[in-house]
Every structure is written in C-alpha cells, then in structure tokens.
Amino acid sequence: MEKDEIKAKLKEFFISNLGVDGSVLNYDSPLFGDEIGLDSVDSLEIISFVDDEFSVSMTGQGKEHFQSIDTITEFIVANS
C-alpha cells in the first residue's frame, strides 16, 4: 500500500470516527495537544484501527509514533 493511500485512510478515520475537523487536520498536524486535541481514549481507537485496517500492531508503542498522521504512516510502512 502506498504512503498516500495510508495517509488518506488515516485522515478519513480521524474525521469520521474521532470527530476531528478536516479543515484543520493536516498530515503533519500534532494529534495530541491544543491543535487537534485527541486524548488517551482516542489513542486506543487509533491502535485498534491500525491493527484492523493495516494488520500492524501499535500496542505498547511509544508516543513518538502517534504524533501525526505522518508518523503513524511511517510506523505502518516500517512494520508491514
């Protein structure tokens, strides 16, 4: 799967499932903190989605892999 396709699926997930405003969500937007504002419950949903959609386990991974759509994509590519 191409990186652009992975990024598009992740962005759609954040908008549809986590209620993120698509107009402020860029591939390099910090997902946790003031801008997007996701929390630890959201991170569990991200882990579940990545496992189901891409067959890549993010369970127990450090927060550096959850910083943005770009960092999640890199993790998926490196581990698939």
Side-chain angles (χ1 to χ4, degrees):
M1 186 177 296
E2 296 293 321
K3 283 185 182 181
D4 289 344
E5 189 179 351
I6 294 170
K7 288 180 182 184
K9 284 186 178 210
L10 287 168
K11 186 170 184 174
E12 179 59 31
F13 167 77
F14 286 116
I15 294 168
S16 299
N17 295 62
L18 300 181
V20 175
D21 181 350
S23 67
V24 297
L25 179 62
N26 298 307
Y27 294 141
D28 61 349
S29 298
L31 298 173
F32 299 88
D34 294 339
E35 189 172 347
I36 304 299
L38 298 182
D39 60 24
S40 59
V41 174
D42 296 319
S43 67
L44 297 175
E45 291 193 46
I46 296 167
I47 290 169
S48 179
F49 175 76
V50 169
D51 193 26
D52 292 346
E53 186 70 30
F54 305 105
S55 299
V56 173
S57 176
M58 293 191 82
T59 302
Q61 294 301 316
K63 64 183 178 181
E64 68 273 10
H65 298 297
F66 293 90
Q67 297 300 309
S68 66
I69 290 175
D70 284 337
T71 60
I72 295 171
T73 300
E74 291 302 324
F75 182 84
I76 292 167
V77 169
N79 292 279
S80 59

